[in-house]
């Protein structure tokens, strides 16, 4: 019997994905685990593995098509089998999700009676498994405005990235419960949308709605569930006037073009990324931009509120310095070997040309840390630490919104090229502002590189709850005595290790630096291990 392979759901809030490239074609034999095609969300790229074995009988969507999550993408089975019944449907496993969603929706129905309003709440999305609250950035709609499902209501920030919240209801924006700069718990009601004049007091966080006499006590708690069910509903299908994929909308926003001017070539005329790129290549005549208002001549200063990311950095750094016994050791090593190796890689071209000195340092750190478990650890409390079996390497990345530290998980098992590619991917996601918050936690040790800024030595601050952080400095020419007694110059690169003295003593910290320097000075030997 033919089996369907569905479009994976690559994240809680992801409703559809765009097919990138098919790696298998109709007629090819595939095994479970073989890569069938690549696909993209508006945040990242993935590979879809086959969940069945046999011949690839039919492909239902082509490259560039946007496909709803959990919809059948292709069929696999025995040669000659009829798979027409699978086209356009969902797999046998898929109904479980809608069935589960139906239960809360049904339970939520009495909430409208208890609340006695036709207004619907829009909740604060949960932008990642570890995110508990978000900060509202800017309201793009105001009370009294008419909104449709999918319209952007407001922007919001976690401690790592910025997002946009789309309306999950249609009607008038009746009430806003939180203002710009407020921190709101995830899944909490943020505003109310519905017909003009509908009451909204019962949707306001902390309100005690009047429950109908025949309603059970449990109905009071149903409102947040209803809001969660509404928020989880796909928004793409409701954009009848100008359906635009999230990925296309994000690209258009970055490029500064009006995506609604593009001609949609996706399913049901939806505007997808390639349509926006075509619009970018042939843009309409630019509109005149109003001149900015001049700054008042007597303005001597301005007060600037911290962004959500800057607030999180401030809180984390203060906590780090006020709760840890931090100490920094500085050392330098002969960088002649790694500079020569980097020059050789650059001459090779291809992917290897992109490997940097920073990547080489990350590789060496990932191997050296395995011998120092107290540095490859997290503090649990003042009396215990968690030592990691693998090195989950945090890499400090500077972004327009502030410092972010994405994690390369199991870096000790990755090749130099894999580490280099992983760093570039994570850094791009951070700077784009669309990185999954779950990739910004779970680190066991951090590396902060200021060498490209010309910094010769600095004191990096530990990223809690880790027990250590390595600062990478620039290389400077130093003088030493050669074997023949002459004086020679050599490039010396500085390293600054800050460690938590509660978990690590000075001797093992110094030994870690000694071994790391030895590995860097003999890097080709380290690669051979």
């Amino acid at each position: 019997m033919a089996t369907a392979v569905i479009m994976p759901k690559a994240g809680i809030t992801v409703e559809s994905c765009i097919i990138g490239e098919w790696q298998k074609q109709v007629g090819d034999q595939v095994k479970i685990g073989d890569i069938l095609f690549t696909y993209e969300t508006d945040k990242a790229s993935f590979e879809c593995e086959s969940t069945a074995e046999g011949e690839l009988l039919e492909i239902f969507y082509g490259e560039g098509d946007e496909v709803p999550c959990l919809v059948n993408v292709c069929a696999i089975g025995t040669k000659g089998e009829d798979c027409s019944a699978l086209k356009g449907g969902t797999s046998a496993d898929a109904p479980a999700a809608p069935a589960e969603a139906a239960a809360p929706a049904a339970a939520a129905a009495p909430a409208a009676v208890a609340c006695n309003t036709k207004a619907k709440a829009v909740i604060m999305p949960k932008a990642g498994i570890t995110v508990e609250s978000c900060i509202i950035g800017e309201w793009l709609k105001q009370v009294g405005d008419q909104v449709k499902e999918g319209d952007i209501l407001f922007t919001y920030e976690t401690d790592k990235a910025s997002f946009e919240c789309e309306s999950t209801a249609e009607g008038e924006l009746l009430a806003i419960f939180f203002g710009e700069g407020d921190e709101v718990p995830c899944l909490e009601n943020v505003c109310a949308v519905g017909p003009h004049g509908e009451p909204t007091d019962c949707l306001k966080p902390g309100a005690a709605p009047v429950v109908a006499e025949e309603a059970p006590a449990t109905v009071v708690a149903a409102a947040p569930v209803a809001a969660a069910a509404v928020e989880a509903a796909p928004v793409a299908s409701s954009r009848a006037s100008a359906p635009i994929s999230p990925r296309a909308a994000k690209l258009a926003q970055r490029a500064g073009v009006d995506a609604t001017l593009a001609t949609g070539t996706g399913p049901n005329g939806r505007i997808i990324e390639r349509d926006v790129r075509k619009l970018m290549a042939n843009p309409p005549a630019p509109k005149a931009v109003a001149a900015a208002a001049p700054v008042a001549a007597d303005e001597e200063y301005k007060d600037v509120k911290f962004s959500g990311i800057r607030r999180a950095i401030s809180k984390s750094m203060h906590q780090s310095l006020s709760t840890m016994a931090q100490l920094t050791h500085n050392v330098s090593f002969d960088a002649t070997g790694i500079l020569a190796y980097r020059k050789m890689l650059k001459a090779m071209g291809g992917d290897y040309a992109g490997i940097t000195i920073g990547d080489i340092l990350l590789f060496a750190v990932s191997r050296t840390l395995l011998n120092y478990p107290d540095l490859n650890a997290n503090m649990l409390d003042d009396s215990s630490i968690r030592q990691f079996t693998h090195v989950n390497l945090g890499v400090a990345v500077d972004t327009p919104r502030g410092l972010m530290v994405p994690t390369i998980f199991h870096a000790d098992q990755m090749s130099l090229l894999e580490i280099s590619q992983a760093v570039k991917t994570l850094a791009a996601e951070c700077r784009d502002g669309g990185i999954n918050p779950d990739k910004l936690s779970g680190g066991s040790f951090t590396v902060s590189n200021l060498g490209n800024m010309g910094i010769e030595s600095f004191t990096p601050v530990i990223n809690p709850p880790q027990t250590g952080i390595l600062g990478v400095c620039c290389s400077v020419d130093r003088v030493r005595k050669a074997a023949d007694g002459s004086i020679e110059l050599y490039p010396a690169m500085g390293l600054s290790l800050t460690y938590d003295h509660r978990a690590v003593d000075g001797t093992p910290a110094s030994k870690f630096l000694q071994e790391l320097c030895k590995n860097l000075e003999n890097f080709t030997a380290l690669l051979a291990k």
Side-chain angles (χ1 to χ4, degrees):
M1 180 177 176
T3 302
V5 176
I6 65 172
M7 176 60 74
K9 188 170 177 65
I12 298 173
T13 60
V14 177
E15 299 297 339
S16 63
C17 305
I18 296 175
I19 292 179
E21 180 182 359
W22 277 95
Q23 308 291 333
K24 298 288 185 179
Q25 302 301 325
V26 172
D28 289 353
Q29 291 294 316
V30 298
K31 296 180 180 179
I32 296 177
D34 284 355
I35 304 301
L36 294 175
F37 58 90
T38 61
Y39 63 98
E40 301 177 352
T41 67
D42 59 340
K43 303 287 194 282
S45 298
F46 305 90
E47 294 177 336
C48 180
E49 298 182 355
S50 176
T51 53
E53 185 168 344
E55 181 179 313
L56 181 53
L57 300 172
E58 189 171 352
I59 292 174
F60 303 141
Y61 294 94
E63 296 176 357
D65 285 349
E66 185 161 4
V67 185
C69 296
L70 307 182
V71 166
N72 298 343
V73 178
C74 62
I76 295 173
T78 307
K79 183 177 179 65
E81 276 191 287
D82 181 20
C83 57
S84 57
L86 299 175
K87 190 171 184 178
T90 55
S91 74
D93 299 328
E100 292 170 3
V113 177
C115 198
N116 194 27
T117 181
K118 295 180 181 179
K120 295 182 179 179
V122 176
I123 66 172
M124 175 61 73
K126 188 170 177 66
I129 298 173
T130 60
V131 178
E132 298 299 331
S133 64
C134 304
I135 295 174
I136 293 178
E138 178 185 4
W139 277 96
L140 303 178
K141 298 287 186 180
Q142 302 300 325
V143 172
D145 288 352
Q146 291 294 316
V147 298
K148 296 180 180 180
E149 290 188 33
D151 284 355
I152 306 300
L153 294 175
F154 59 90
T155 62
Y156 63 97
E157 299 178 351
T158 66
D159 57 343
K160 304 297 183 185
S162 300
F163 303 91
E164 295 176 338
C165 180
E166 298 181 355
S167 177
T168 53
E170 184 168 346
E172 181 181 317
L173 182 53
L174 301 170
I176 292 176
F177 303 137
F178 295 94
E180 296 177 356
D182 287 349
E183 186 167 2
V184 184
C186 294
L187 307 183
E188 183 72 88
N189 295 348
V190 179
C191 62
V193 176
H196 179 74
E198 285 293 313
T200 61
D201 288 347
C202 59
L203 297 177
K204 190 173 183 178
V210 178
V211 182
E213 294 182 0
E214 67 275 10
T218 54
V219 173
V220 178
V225 179
V230 170
E231 196 277 335
V235 298
S237 61
S238 64
R239 299 181 185 178
S241 58
I244 304 172
S245 76
R247 186 177 181 84
K250 196 174 187 70
L251 174 62
Q253 183 182 23
R254 290 199 304 266
V257 299
D258 184 358
T260 60
L261 299 177
T263 302
T265 61
N268 300 317
R270 195 176 197 194
I271 297 171
I272 59 178
E273 183 181 14
R274 65 186 176 199
D275 304 325
V276 175
R277 292 196 181 279
K278 186 175 180 180
L279 178 66
M280 291 165 58
N282 301 281
K287 297 180 179 179
V289 180
V295 179
D298 59 349
E299 184 178 353
E300 297 182 5
Y301 62 86
K302 64 177 181 179
D303 297 330
V304 180
K305 290 182 67 175
F306 276 175
S307 67
I309 293 176
R310 177 51 54 190
R311 272 189 259 182
I313 294 172
S314 173
K315 181 179 179 180
S316 177
M317 293 300 97
H318 182 267
Q319 175 193 356
S320 177
L321 290 173
S322 60
T323 61
M324 292 185 182
Q326 300 192 29
L327 186 64
T328 302
H329 289 188
N330 298 293
V331 72
S332 64
F333 68 96
D334 184 351
T336 302
I338 62 172
L339 291 173
Y341 186 72
R342 160 73 180 116
K343 186 176 180 180
M344 181 194 72
L345 292 175
K346 190 173 182 179
M348 289 174 61
D351 292 337
Y352 293 100
I355 294 176
T356 67
I357 292 295
D359 301 332
I360 292 172
L361 280 151
L362 292 174
F363 180 90
V365 168
S366 71
R367 269 52 182 182
T368 309
L369 265 179
L370 293 174
N371 296 328
Y372 300 89
D374 288 345
L375 274 172
N376 188 44
N378 284 179
M379 287 289 299
L380 297 180
D381 50 45
D382 286 335
S383 60
S384 61
I385 63 173
R386 174 173 294 156
Q387 297 177 342
F388 289 85
T389 305
H390 295 286
V391 177
N392 299 328
L393 207 52
V395 183
V397 175
D398 181 45
T399 77
R401 289 165 296 280
L403 181 70
M404 294 187 182
V405 187
T407 304
I408 307 174
F409 292 95
H410 290 204
D412 56 298
Q413 295 182 318
M414 300 170 70
S415 68
L416 174 59
L417 180 59
E418 288 173 333
I419 287 178
S420 176
Q421 292 172 336
V423 170
K424 290 175 176 58
T425 298
L426 290 169
E429 291 178 359
C430 286
R431 294 187 179 110
D432 185 53
I435 190 168
N436 188 319
D438 297 333
K439 295 181 182 179
L440 299 166
S441 60
S444 58
F445 187 85
T446 294
V447 175
S448 178
N449 190 341
L450 296 181
N452 60 347
M453 300 289 185
I455 302 300
E456 296 183 17
S457 179
F458 68 105
T459 304
V461 179
I462 297 173
N463 187 22
Q466 297 169 19
T467 60
I469 182 173
L470 181 73
V472 179
C473 309
C474 68
S475 62
V476 295
D477 288 337
R478 290 187 180 170
V479 177
R480 68 182 173 190
K481 196 173 190 179
D484 59 1
S486 62
I487 300 299
E488 66 177 5
L489 289 175
Y490 76 99
M493 183 172 288
L495 299 175
S496 302
L497 173 70
T498 299
Y499 59 95
D500 189 343
H501 215 323
R502 296 177 300 170
V504 185
D505 288 331
T507 296
S510 299
K511 287 183 176 179
F512 165 74
L513 281 176
Q514 284 182 334
E515 185 174 339
L516 178 60
C517 290
K518 181 179 178 181
N519 285 335
L520 288 165
E521 290 175 344
N522 302 276
F523 188 69
T524 52
L526 179 65
L527 287 171
K529 290 183 180 180

